[in-house]
Amino acid sequence: MKKLTFTLLGLSVFAFIACSSDSGNESQADQPISQESETDTVELTLQSDISDLEERIAALESELASLPAGPQGPAGPAGPAGPSGEQGAVGEQGPEGPQGPAGSTGATGATGAAGVAGASGSDGALAGLSCNDEEFVATLSNSWQCAELGATIDGFLSGQAGGGGLCCDIADFMQFEGFTSVGFDLEENCSHGSCTLKVNGVADHNLCSLTGTFNNNSFNTNSLGVTVLSNGIDVNWSLAAGDDLFTNSPLTVAVNCGQGIVAAQ
């Protein structure tokens, strides 16, 4: 507002000076005046006019300064939105944050109620059995019984065959050919062709094993000519050892009956 006022005042001054110049020119044309007198008159007139103008400008500025500010005008309409800028580059991933504190442990749930007891089972096959110490239950003769391990019992026979003496049992081999026997039943049939080996005190020879050598040939429970029976082990010397006992060669036979399962006494 003040700039506009100063502009108007300036224009007024120039207009006033112009008018004064024109009036001077016209007076100069109408009346002849000397050059020195004309110059003094113009300078006096301009000086008086400028002083009067400055006083008026000062008065106007004082009035303008005392005028109250007018109300603010309404805001103009918003301009159109500019185009969207390009998307910036993705920033670097920040460092991993510290691990949070562990959560609290939940309360232990209450113990559930005990279930209903089941029905009693029927008496089984072992009902009524009461075994002593070092005894156990086993199936013997198709029935459950208290059982125990049988004692380890061995039978042994050795000697020099080929003597040609009389024979019908192990006792004859011992008497006539100098054989040695321990643990065998001496009255079982035994000759130079075949022999039945029965260990005293063994109820079932199916739990026993046989090993032997004759004329540098070895044989055992699984050899041809060896038959295991409940009451003894039959040996055919020619099939098992490769020759009969008339051949002059040393003979060694051992039968081992391990800890078999027998009925408790």
Side-chain angles (χ1 to χ4, degrees):
M1 185 66 180
K2 289 182 178 182
K3 291 181 179 180
L4 180 59
T5 302
F6 290 146
T7 304
L8 292 175
L9 289 175
L11 292 175
S12 299
V13 170
F14 287 115
F16 180 76
I17 294 171
C19 290
S20 300
S21 299
D22 291 341
S23 298
N25 293 332
E26 290 177 357
S27 298
Q28 183 180 5
D30 294 339
Q31 299 176 2
I33 301 173
S34 64
Q35 184 175 359
E36 181 179 356
S37 176
E38 182 180 357
T39 302
D40 293 340
T41 302
V42 171
E43 288 180 357
L44 178 61
T45 302
L46 289 175
Q47 184 67 35
S48 300
D49 291 339
I50 290 173
S51 298
D52 183 54
L53 181 59
E54 288 178 350
E55 291 177 359
R56 291 183 181 183
I57 290 173
L60 288 173
E61 288 179 349
S62 178
E63 291 179 4
L64 289 173
S66 62
L67 290 175
Q72 185 176 0
S84 300
E86 296 182 0
Q87 184 175 357
V90 179
E92 296 182 359
Q93 183 176 356
E96 184 177 357
Q99 183 177 0
S104 59
T105 303
T108 303
T111 303
V116 179
S120 300
S122 60
D123 293 339
L126 304 182
L129 283 178
S130 179
C131 300
N132 298 323
D133 293 342
E134 299 182 1
E135 296 179 355
F136 51 90
V137 177
T139 302
L140 298 174
S141 302
N142 298 323
S143 65
W144 290 99
Q145 302 179 38
C146 290
E148 61 184 2
L149 293 176
T152 300
I153 304 175
D154 298 329
F156 184 78
L157 175 67
S158 66
Q160 184 70 27
L166 297 175
C167 70
C168 287
D169 53 32
I170 295 178
D172 290 338
F173 276 93
M174 295 174 66
Q175 180 178 357
F176 299 112
E177 298 190 30
F179 274 68
T180 300
S181 178
V182 176
F184 286 127
D185 184 345
L186 301 181
E187 295 181 358
E188 287 293 324
N189 292 329
C190 192
S191 66
H192 293 81
S194 63
C195 187
T196 299
L197 302 173
K198 180 177 180 180
V199 180
N200 293 323
V202 175
D204 187 359
H205 284 72
N206 287 296
L207 305 176
C208 303
S209 61
L210 178 146
T211 58
T213 57
F214 177 67
N215 195 22
N216 296 322
N217 294 322
S218 298
F219 55 95
N220 56 44
T221 309
N222 299 318
S223 298
L224 181 65
V226 177
T227 304
V228 179
L229 303 172
S230 177
N231 61 348
I233 299 177
D234 289 342
V235 180
N236 184 308
W237 302 118
S238 296
L239 295 177
D243 208 343
D244 56 35
L245 297 188
F246 289 109
T247 303
N248 187 12
S249 294
L251 170 69
T252 300
V253 180
V255 176
N256 176 266
C257 299
Q259 292 184 343
I261 300 175
V262 297
Q265 301 297 322

